[in-house]
């Protein structure tokens, strides 16, 4: 798949549910691309590794934005929101740990079969996570505010994506340590502040 623009200005009028749904579709396509590259690659594994790096970058940015923008809203908007969001966060931590394991594996030669098994398990878990988000978290986003509020929420998601770490997000790293956490938190605070101003 061609490179993807996740800058704050991309698809400026898209609402938050449309944006998140599109990201889920893109992630499915990237899983396809990694699987196809691993199956068709020569012994160097260069194509598989390049496709996997794209998957890591997009999935990391998406999950980071959800953790910082979408889940906090769902926590307050849903009955039982604390439990629903806690389950999604645990799924995202498992995703991050799986990505880190896959980064250390060889997707060519003798390591190809093990890599593909681990990738298939990650894909299955990611699909279950996606279905849960679409079932529980998307309906209050669709109902929340007016169309401009939903567009503002999408802008906040894109802003968080644009500054997300390039490797598995901080929740996946022991003790939440990440070199980007300080400046990232500041940008997210600004995105949330802009969203609150839009709501008033």
């Amino acid at each position: 798949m061609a490179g993807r623009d996740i800058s704050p200005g991309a698809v400026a009028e898209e609402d938050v549910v449309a944006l998140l749904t599109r990201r889920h579709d893109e992630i499915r396509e990237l899983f396809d691309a990694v699987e196809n590259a691993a199956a068709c690659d020569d012994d160097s594994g260069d194509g598989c590794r390049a496709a996997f790096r794209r998957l890591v970058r997009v999935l990391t940015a998406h999950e980071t934005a959800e953790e910082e923008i979408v889940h906090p809203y769902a926590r307050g908007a849903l009955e039982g929101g604390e439990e629903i969001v806690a389950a999604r966060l645990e799924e995202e931590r498992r995703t991050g740990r799986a990505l880190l394991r896959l980064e250390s594996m060889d997707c060519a030669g003798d390591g190809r079969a093990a890599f593909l098994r681990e990738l298939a398990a990650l894909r299955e878990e990611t699909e279950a996570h996606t279905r849960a988000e679409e079932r529980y978290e998307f309906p209050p986003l669709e109902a929340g505010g007016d169309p401009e509020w939903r567009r503002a929420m999408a802008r906040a998601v894109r802003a968080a994506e644009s500054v997300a770490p390039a490797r598995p997000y901080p929740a996946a790293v022991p003790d939440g340590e990440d070199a980007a956490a300080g400046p990232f938190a500041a940008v997210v605070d600004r995105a949330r502040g802009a969203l609150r101003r839009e709501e008033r």
Side-chain angles (χ1 to χ4, degrees):
M1 189 176 73
R4 183 174 60 80
D5 184 359
I6 58 172
S7 65
V11 198
E13 295 306 307
E14 191 171 37
D15 86 5
V16 65
V17 174
L19 172 63
L20 294 170
T21 300
R22 183 163 61 84
R23 292 289 188 259
H24 288 170
D25 290 341
E26 290 168 352
I27 289 164
R28 291 183 187 101
E29 291 173 6
L30 287 167
F31 270 109
D32 287 341
V34 178
E35 290 170 356
N36 291 339
C40 301
D41 222 349
D42 58 24
D43 288 339
S44 73
D46 290 343
C48 175
R49 279 188 285 274
F52 180 69
R53 283 194 297 270
R54 288 193 295 272
L55 172 64
V56 170
R57 187 170 61 249
V58 173
L59 188 52
T60 296
H62 174 69
E63 299 291 14
T64 299
E66 288 186 329
E67 287 178 12
E68 298 296 336
I69 305 298
V70 178
H71 296 332
Y73 177 80
R75 186 180 285 116
L78 289 168
E79 184 176 350
E82 288 287 347
E83 293 77 12
I84 289 168
V85 169
R88 303 294 78 75
L89 289 171
E90 179 53 35
E91 291 160 3
E92 287 163 8
R93 290 184 184 99
R94 290 199 299 268
T95 294
R97 290 191 289 267
L99 288 172
L100 289 170
R101 286 194 302 273
L102 280 158
E103 279 190 329
S104 70
M105 298 174 73
D106 189 356
C107 61
D110 293 341
R112 188 190 322 252
F115 177 87
L116 284 171
R117 282 195 301 272
E118 183 86 9
L119 184 72
L122 172 59
R123 182 171 194 163
E124 183 175 348
E125 184 155 334
T126 301
E127 284 287 352
H129 172 74
T130 294
R131 289 193 298 271
E133 286 178 336
E134 292 175 354
R135 177 179 178 183
Y136 295 112
E137 294 190 85
F138 285 16
L141 287 172
E142 288 179 310
D146 58 19
E148 181 51 38
W149 180 88
R150 291 191 293 274
R151 288 191 290 270
M153 190 80 160
R155 289 193 291 272
V157 167
R158 284 191 294 270
E161 286 178 328
S162 72
V163 294
R167 296 184 67 247
Y169 36 92
V173 179
D175 301 322
E177 294 175 0
D178 186 272
F184 175 63
V187 172
V188 168
D189 283 345
R190 288 197 295 273
R192 288 178 176 164
L195 184 60
R196 285 193 292 272
R197 288 192 295 275
E198 294 275 357
E199 289 179 296
R200 289 202 289 265

